[in-house]
Amino acid sequence: MTTRIALIPGDGVGPEVMAEAEPLIDWARSRGHRLETVRLSYGADHYLSTGETLPEEAYADLRDGFDAVIFGAVGDPRIPDGRHAEEILLRLRRGLELTVNFRPCQPLPGLSRQGLHLEVFRENTEGAYCLQGSTEPGRAVDLAVHTEVAVLRLLEVAFARAQARGCALTLAHKANVLKHGHGLWVRVFQSLQAAHPDVPARGMHADALLCALVQDPAPFGVIAADNYLGDLISDLTAAFAGGMGTAPSLSWAPHRPFRCAVLAEPVHGSAPDIAGKGLANPVGMILSTALLFRHLGWESEAETVERAVAAAMRDGARTRDLGGSLSTAGMGAAIRDRLSG
């Protein structure tokens, strides 16, 4: 069966880092995988010229006619309210029910915190990012919505991962003040603790957890959190592995409601201030592509890409954000030169 992958480069540095992921797809194809890619132009330029974000027909085709999405970044200062970004990326996450957002942190050779292996599992469709609220003179309200279904899906994956790794699982929450929403998270977490007695699991107030991470991240293995806290925590853990430019992520729907059930994207944003200058670090995008390969069952290809990234870093290949001089394309080429197997 042919695997169909939609490529959405998006805005800012998105097209530049996407250009370094596409050769990896060609390489996977050369290793015998039946692959078809379709490049979709949805982003700021398309919106400004047509008024379209992600048309219903295009969304339905993506949902039912593709297996995965590789996404660059969205965000453009020409659209200050970010409406196109909201209607493209957040619609994909919510519409495809991509409940699980996986953000690993494993420092590369030559970077600090060697030996650290942190993984953040972030609920990806609800919480404070549900886009519900109101603004009126002198008052603004943002709603945070949590459902037991989504919380359970995320935490089941987090418990399974901690069990497979043989490491601790920590739930980040603020149930002491967010008694309703985070109270639900704590209740579901505690119910799963009973079903996983061999997983060292605890809940921890998010503010205390952030302090502990800065002081010593080593004791943490897997961290689970809602959409908002997971976003903040995973950006902090990215700093242990070189910063946002090296941070990958993968989102998926564990219950597979549609054919398209997985989306790979780097953690960094569109960075319009450096767009078009060849300064963006493509490592986050390349490692996100490796995560996608593993999710598709292509373990050998995933490991080979990850080894190539590590080898390039070990040999001193760096973009400017890591103190080097390579361009985006130069870093991508350095990694591809080390592909083997």
Side-chain angles (χ1 to χ4, degrees):
M1 182 177 177
T2 299
T3 299
R4 300 191 75 217
I5 300 176
L7 308 177
I8 305 180
D11 307 328
V13 300
E16 297 172 68
V17 296
M18 181 69 75
E20 305 312 313
E22 290 183 81
L24 299 177
I25 298 170
D26 294 335
W27 170 78
R29 187 183 289 112
S30 74
R31 290 167 63 93
H33 295 290
R34 296 177 60 183
L35 276 166
E36 178 187 351
T37 59
V38 177
R39 195 179 183 91
L40 303 177
S41 62
Y42 301 110
D45 287 340
H46 182 82
Y47 173 71
L48 290 170
S49 63
T50 67
E52 291 182 333
T53 52
L54 182 61
E56 183 60 37
E57 183 178 348
Y59 166 73
D61 180 56
L62 193 152
R63 179 192 64 204
D64 301 327
F66 288 84
D67 299 286
V69 179
I70 299 179
F71 200 93
V74 280
D76 191 295
R78 295 173 296 173
I79 310 171
D81 64 0
R83 72 181 67 182
H84 77 296
E86 174 185 311
E87 293 181 17
I88 298 171
L89 181 57
L90 295 188
R91 184 181 186 192
L92 290 176
R93 290 175 178 174
R94 297 175 66 191
L96 298 176
E97 300 180 28
L98 305 177
T99 308
V100 177
N101 180 230
F102 173 57
R103 296 187 171 189
C105 167
Q106 204 162 0
L108 295 162
L111 301 179
S112 61
R113 303 286 188 177
Q114 291 297 295
L116 183 65
H117 187 184
L118 279 172
E119 295 176 341
V120 177
F121 284 85
R122 165 196 176 193
E123 200 289 315
N124 205 34
T125 62
E126 297 184 340
Y129 294 6
C130 67
L131 305 178
Q132 297 181 37
S134 62
T135 300
E136 55 192 74
R139 185 172 184 266
V141 176
D142 284 307
L143 298 180
V145 177
H146 308 268
T147 66
E148 186 172 349
V149 169
V151 173
L152 183 60
R153 284 175 184 157
L154 185 281
L155 289 180
E156 283 179 334
V157 171
F159 266 98
R161 179 60 175 168
Q163 186 162 24
R165 283 187 54 195
C167 69
L169 170 62
T170 304
L171 171 68
H173 68 84
K174 284 294 292 181
N176 55 326
V177 288
L178 303 176
K179 298 182 183 296
H180 301 287
H182 284 198
L184 173 63
W185 276 85
V186 170
R187 290 194 300 276
V188 174
F189 186 79
Q190 290 173 342
S191 71
L192 290 173
Q193 277 183 288
H196 298 82
D198 51 341
V199 175
R202 62 170 175 163
M204 193 171 181
H205 290 162
D207 44 356
L209 184 149
L210 289 168
C211 180
L213 277 173
V214 171
Q215 291 174 322
D216 182 12
F220 294 90
V222 172
I223 299 171
D226 76 348
N227 209 337
Y228 179 58
L229 292 179
D231 196 5
L232 301 182
I233 293 167
S234 61
D235 281 8
L236 171 62
T237 60
F240 298 138
M244 302 295 282
T246 65
S249 79
L250 193 74
S251 301
W252 71 89
H255 56 308
R256 294 191 62 86
F258 309 108
R259 176 177 174 179
C260 190
V262 58
L263 182 149
E265 61 174 322
V267 171
H268 65 70
S270 60
D273 56 320
I274 62 169
K277 299 178 181 179
L279 298 177
N281 191 334
V283 168
M285 171 61 87
I286 289 170
L287 290 177
S288 296
T289 305
L291 291 179
L292 175 60
F293 288 171
R294 180 169 290 113
H295 189 85
L296 294 172
W298 307 344
E299 183 64 31
S300 176
E301 284 73 20
E303 289 184 356
T304 301
V305 171
E306 290 166 349
R307 285 198 303 267
V309 172
M313 295 288 292
R314 192 177 297 112
D315 293 340
R318 301 282 194 282
T319 44
R320 290 191 187 182
D321 58 310
L322 297 180
S325 60
L326 289 180
S327 66
T328 306
M331 188 68 189
I335 293 168
R336 291 192 297 276
D337 287 344
R338 289 162 177 79
L339 287 175
S340 62

